[in-house]
Amino acid sequence: MVCRLFTRSGIAKKLPGLFSMSRRASSSSSPPTDWNSHSEFFDFTGGARWVCNEEYEMGMRHVPFDMNELAKLAAQSVGAAKCVDVENFGQGLYNKPFLFTMDDGTHVIGKVPNLSAGLPHFTTASEVATMDFARNFLGTPVPKVLAWSSRANENPVGAEFILMEFAPGIPLSIVWDTMGIEAKCKLIMSIGKIQNTWASTTFSQYGSLYYASDLDRPKPCLLTRRDGSQIEEPRFAVGPSNGRYLLDDGRLNVSFDRGPWDTVEQYKRAIGYREISCVQQMAELPLPVMGLYGPRTYTRSRPKKLAALNYYLQLINHLLPTDPSISSSFLWHNDLHVDNIFVNPQNPWEILSIIDWQSVDLRPLFDHTQKPFFLDYDGPSLKLRERPKLPENLSEMSLEAQKEAKDLHYRMELAAYYKMLTYRDTRVLHDATEFTETKSFDMMLLSQKLAEDGEAMYQWCVKELEAEWSNLPGVQAAGNPSFPFHFSSEEVSTIDRDAEDADQGMELMRSLKQSLGNLCPEKGLVRLENYDAAKALLRQKKEELMAQLGCSDDERRVWDHCWPFDN
């Protein structure tokens, strides 16, 4: 997947002709023929640096291969005589994307996965099969794969690669901000139609999709259509999951069950066992993402994480939804942002292509309910059939506050339209989305990354769950069993104190991010031109935090170790 700091939209300014419908090639003056002499093809050159563990992160994104051979294969894939130009096509955290220009003006997109992308062979093999299935079985506009290899030692390139047609149209990011409300509503309707097609087919297993020939012991891919009919697709099979949540933050190098799984209970239970394996096997726990934890706030510990995960494993049967339709396995693209959707520049509501299918996997529908990112907003939840309203005291607000209120109202209007369409046309997706508003879903969501964060709040939520235990649909469906835990007064005190300390750590993190502004790292990255200023400001903020907390010399040394923004 492409980091949104370094997206393909920037290429439109660099190569404007390529984003026209005619796809004319730019002129080139005698390009070099030895593409292997360009070191920028093999390293991370995204105009950014990591504020922490930079040497490791850069190493995970250094991939040596033979670019001359890849350029030759790109030309062969479209029947061209030769490739006359190769350029970095944006810069991804997980892949190296390239733009190949042929002597006849044809363009081909190539990508080579970084070490951070996922498991060798499986990541590329699954992406290609998934694109094929989405394009040819579900009718989704997806770029056609022209050539590929998931076996680095079995091709002349010396690395895994995918060559595909250049996505027609322009990235939605180029036109979204200038589109009118009517055009945006039409685009939302187009997305709804595509998602309705995705919702038409369920799978018998959870994991990732492959060609059967790429798995050692494939099971037949059994599909169920909306009308209840079943189809066996012998070309495809479900295998180990390549979802990012099984790969990021050190999970790539940990041994645990990656699927496939036959039931939603197996799938969800495997999450708990996965996080337990991470807590037990990792030499260093992943850096926290929600809070600043250390002396005078909350202290993370492996025993507390394992305790929270054991609670999860005992609760999971009662947290799952009672409606089997929203627990079924679906293929879904969960990363619909403005750089992954390509549209017709003349009619921008017409979707011509959806890109970036790496790590797309088969999950229960209630885990697929992330609405398109450009419809996200930070505000109150929406109710069906209730249009968002402007504040009654709008006229009494300052001009800046009025603008913010109107902007929020506008975004909520678009999100409400999407919600209404989903309810009308894809009811099962609407029902799955409604489930995400429940306590049961919150408890499952919080468990996803307990190896790095959230164990204090999870234990507190488990304690509080007793008061509403009998109201959980999963508990009622099971015949109202008694609450499975008993907490002593001492345990309650410890849980409450940890939750309060963790909350303080989260508030400190929120305050830090707000004070950093545009110098705040995203996924650990800051722009190259901001690196020195960001590192200096982060050091300053650490000193201010330790002074604010009144830390001793020993506590300062602990903070130097657990501060998540240092090498």
Side-chain angles (χ1 to χ4, degrees):
M1 295 188 178
V2 177
C3 173
R4 270 169 242 141
L5 282 172
F6 321 104
T7 54
R8 298 180 63 182
S9 59
I11 305 300
K13 299 176 182 177
K14 181 180 178 184
L15 301 169
L18 294 181
F19 283 92
S20 67
M21 297 299 288
S22 62
R23 297 298 183 163
R24 295 178 181 176
S26 57
S27 60
S28 180
S29 56
S30 303
T33 55
D34 183 12
W35 307 115
N36 290 333
S37 64
H38 293 251
S39 61
E40 69 270 16
F41 291 154
F42 313 108
D43 295 315
F44 181 80
T45 56
R49 291 184 63 180
W50 278 268
V51 298
C52 190
N53 296 329
E54 184 170 49
E55 183 177 353
Y56 168 79
E57 297 291 354
M58 292 291 285
M60 291 293 286
R61 290 159 181 85
H62 171 72
V63 183
F65 62 94
D66 194 326
M67 178 59 90
N68 293 330
E69 289 293 335
L70 187 58
K72 186 187 302 183
L73 291 174
Q76 294 173 359
S77 72
V78 289
K82 63 179 179 178
C83 174
V84 297
D85 196 18
V86 182
E87 297 184 65
N88 278 325
F89 197 50
Q91 198 39 258
L93 288 179
Y94 306 112
N95 302 280
K96 301 186 182 307
F98 305 105
L99 174 69
F100 298 91
T101 303
M102 308 306 158
D103 57 341
D104 61 0
T106 304
H107 300 289
V108 172
I109 294 296
K111 58 186 293 188
V112 172
N114 291 325
L115 300 177
S116 57
L119 297 173
H121 166 65
F122 291 98
T123 301
T124 297
S126 177
E127 182 176 4
V128 171
T130 299
M131 291 175 68
D132 183 355
F133 190 92
R135 175 186 173 94
N136 296 306
F137 193 91
L138 297 177
T140 306
V142 176
K144 182 180 179 181
V145 173
L146 304 172
W148 65 283
S149 174
S150 63
R151 306 285 189 181
N153 61 346
E154 296 179 4
N155 66 69
V157 177
E160 299 180 38
F161 68 87
I162 300 176
L163 296 169
M164 66 190 86
E165 65 180 1
F166 195 93
I170 60 173
L172 179 60
S173 57
I174 294 177
V175 294
W176 175 254
D177 289 338
T178 59
M179 290 170 61
I181 185 70
E182 182 179 354
K184 287 183 176 179
C185 287
K186 287 183 178 179
L187 175 75
I188 292 170
M189 187 176 295
S190 298
I191 291 173
K193 289 179 179 178
I194 291 173
Q195 290 183 326
N196 183 269
T197 304
W198 296 345
S200 68
T201 303
T202 62
F203 292 75
S204 59
Q205 290 182 295
Y206 304 80
S208 286
L209 196 61
Y210 300 83
Y211 293 125
S213 56
D214 285 319
L215 296 176
D216 290 336
R217 294 182 294 276
K219 289 185 178 180
C221 186
L222 184 63
L223 312 173
T224 302
R225 303 307 298 264
R226 184 174 283 146
D227 61 6
S229 61
Q230 291 189 327
I231 303 171
E232 188 174 296
E233 282 290 318
R235 280 205 313 133
F236 295 95
V238 182
S241 174
N242 293 297
R244 289 248 56 92
Y245 49 90
L246 284 85
L247 304 170
D248 287 345
D249 302 303
R251 291 173 177 81
L252 177 61
N253 301 313
V254 178
S255 176
F256 53 78
D257 179 15
R258 298 177 184 270
W261 304 279
D262 294 325
T263 67
V264 66
E265 181 187 342
Q266 291 176 3
Y267 166 79
K268 283 296 182 181
R269 194 168 291 279
I271 291 173
Y273 290 126
R274 177 193 78 209
E275 294 301 281
I276 288 175
S277 296
C278 291
V279 173
Q280 293 175 334
Q281 295 181 37
M282 288 180 172
E284 292 283 343
L285 292 173
L287 294 173
V289 294
M290 294 193 299
L292 294 173
Y293 305 130
R296 306 292 179 102
T297 65
Y298 171 72
T299 301
R300 301 190 303 162
S301 76
R302 296 178 194 257
K304 291 177 182 178
K305 291 180 179 295
L306 294 175
L309 287 162
N310 282 316
Y311 288 145
Y312 166 78
L313 290 173
Q314 294 180 67
L315 287 173
I316 187 59
N317 282 348
H318 304 301
L319 299 178
L320 292 169
T322 56
D323 180 0
S325 65
I326 67 174
S327 295
S328 296
S329 173
F330 289 84
L331 182 68
W332 213 269
H333 195 307
N334 285 314
D335 199 23
L336 293 179
H337 60 74
V338 291
D339 289 300
N340 280 345
I341 300 173
F342 280 59
V343 298
N344 184 332
Q346 281 73 45
N347 300 311
W349 54 84
E350 181 185 349
I351 298 175
L352 300 181
S353 188
I354 296 177
I355 67 167
D356 201 359
W357 291 82
Q358 188 180 81
S359 300
V360 169
D361 58 350
L362 303 167
R363 304 186 215 170
L365 189 59
F366 62 79
D367 277 348
H368 279 316
T369 55
Q370 172 69 57
K371 60 178 175 286
F373 284 99
F374 48 87
L375 296 179
D376 275 347
Y377 68 93
D378 185 13
S381 60
L382 297 169
K383 294 183 179 180
L384 192 64
R385 298 191 180 92
E386 284 189 17
R387 291 194 62 177
K389 297 178 181 179
L390 286 164
E392 293 182 0
N393 63 335
L394 183 67
S395 60
E396 302 171 8
M397 296 179 176
S398 66
L399 292 179
E400 183 179 356
Q402 286 186 31
K403 182 180 183 303
E404 291 178 357
K406 289 178 180 179
D407 288 345
L408 175 60
H409 178 261
Y410 180 73
R411 293 193 297 272
M412 290 179 66
E413 286 273 18
L414 292 174
Y417 182 66
Y418 173 79
K419 184 180 182 76
M420 181 274 294
L421 282 180
T422 301
Y423 178 80
R424 188 191 70 184
D425 299 333
T426 314
R427 186 68 58 87
V428 67
L429 177 57
H430 171 269
D431 293 344
T433 304
E434 290 294 293
F435 176 71
T436 64
E437 301 293 328
T438 66
K439 181 76 169 182
S440 296
F441 180 80
D442 287 343
M443 295 292 289
M444 287 191 286
L445 183 64
L446 189 56
S447 70
Q448 296 271 12
K449 291 194 171 185
L450 286 177
E452 62 249 49
D453 218 334
E455 70 275 6
M457 298 309 300
Y458 197 87
Q459 292 198 57
W460 185 85
C461 289
V462 171
K463 176 182 72 73
E464 295 294 302
L465 191 64
E466 183 174 10
E468 50 188 305
W469 176 251
S470 61
N471 296 324
L472 295 182
V475 172
Q476 295 173 352
N480 291 304
S482 59
F483 187 65
F485 312 114
H486 172 72
F487 299 101
S488 67
S489 57
E490 182 178 354
E491 288 172 327
V492 168
S493 296
T494 300
I495 290 172
D496 287 344
R497 184 174 59 253
D498 283 348
E500 183 177 343
D501 290 345
D503 189 61
Q504 179 192 11
M506 288 187 282
E507 182 55 42
L508 289 171
M509 179 69 88
R510 285 190 291 267
S511 178
L512 173 66
K513 290 182 176 180
Q514 185 176 7
S515 67
L516 290 172
N518 63 358
L519 296 181
C520 184
E522 180 182 347
K523 296 183 181 296
L525 284 163
V526 293
R527 292 187 181 278
L528 190 61
E529 64 270 21
N530 294 336
Y531 178 78
D532 290 336
K535 289 290 286 185
L537 186 56
L538 284 165
R539 285 192 294 268
Q540 174 189 327
K541 293 298 180 181
K542 180 174 66 173
E543 289 297 323
E544 292 176 358
L545 172 69
M546 292 188 294
Q548 174 187 339
L549 296 174
C551 293
S552 66
D553 290 343
D554 287 341
E555 289 171 332
R556 283 174 171 268
R557 282 189 284 272
V558 175
W559 270 113
D560 284 337
H561 176 74
C562 64
W563 182 252
F565 303 108
D566 280 334
N567 289 320

